[in-house]
Amino acid sequence: MMISEWLIRLSFGVTGLIHVLPLTGLLGRSMLERAYGVTLGDGQDLTILMQHRALLFGLLAAACFVAVAVPNWRWPAGIAALISMAGFVIIAASQAHGLPVARVMWVDVGAALLLSFGLLLHFRADYAT
């Protein structure tokens, strides 16, 4: 296997790991608060919304993990993950936010750059043959 294929797989694997971490939020408010370093307040509504967010990230993680081994999944999984990460970065960067949001934002910036590199290598491999 060529080094570029390993780098492509690594980029999707790391992106999948980053997106699977929030799944612990499905276990409840305390896990969400611990994972994000925020307080969700008294009501259950924000907890429900954050748990749904965790579930959606789990789906993105699963798609990225499949893309590690199945090249046909790389474009749809990669584009979906890039839209998610870039969208969060744009939303966060355009508003005042605290340190917990800044941490998530910078993780997304790094992961988006890594995944973009992986997709670029995948693109080159597709058109080199």
Side-chain angles (χ1 to χ4, degrees):
M1 184 179 317
M2 296 179 57
I3 188 91
S4 62
E5 180 63 20
W6 280 106
L7 291 171
I8 293 166
R9 290 178 179 202
L10 176 69
S11 72
F12 278 94
V14 169
T15 303
L17 283 174
I18 289 168
H19 282 88
V20 83
L21 293 173
L23 266 178
T24 61
L26 291 175
L27 299 175
R29 175 190 308 267
S30 65
M31 293 301 285
L32 285 164
E33 290 178 337
R34 191 173 313 133
Y36 289 103
V38 297
T39 302
L40 297 178
D42 294 332
Q44 198 57 17
D45 292 347
L46 190 53
T47 299
I48 292 167
L49 290 169
M50 292 296 288
Q51 286 178 310
H52 182 254
R53 181 180 193 273
L55 179 64
L56 292 175
F57 280 142
L59 291 173
L60 270 178
C64 287
F65 289 144
V66 171
V68 168
V70 182
N72 288 340
W73 278 62
R74 290 179 181 161
W75 285 114
I79 290 169
L82 282 175
I83 289 170
S84 172
M85 292 182 290
F88 181 78
V89 169
I90 290 166
I91 291 167
S94 66
Q95 303 175 54
H97 57 270
L99 185 58
V101 170
R103 277 192 210 115
V104 173
M105 183 182 77
W106 286 110
V107 167
D108 277 3
V109 167
L113 290 172
L114 178 63
L115 184 58
S116 295
F117 180 67
L119 283 171
L120 178 62
L121 291 175
H122 180 66
F123 176 80
R124 286 185 59 209
D126 275 354
Y127 289 97
T129 56

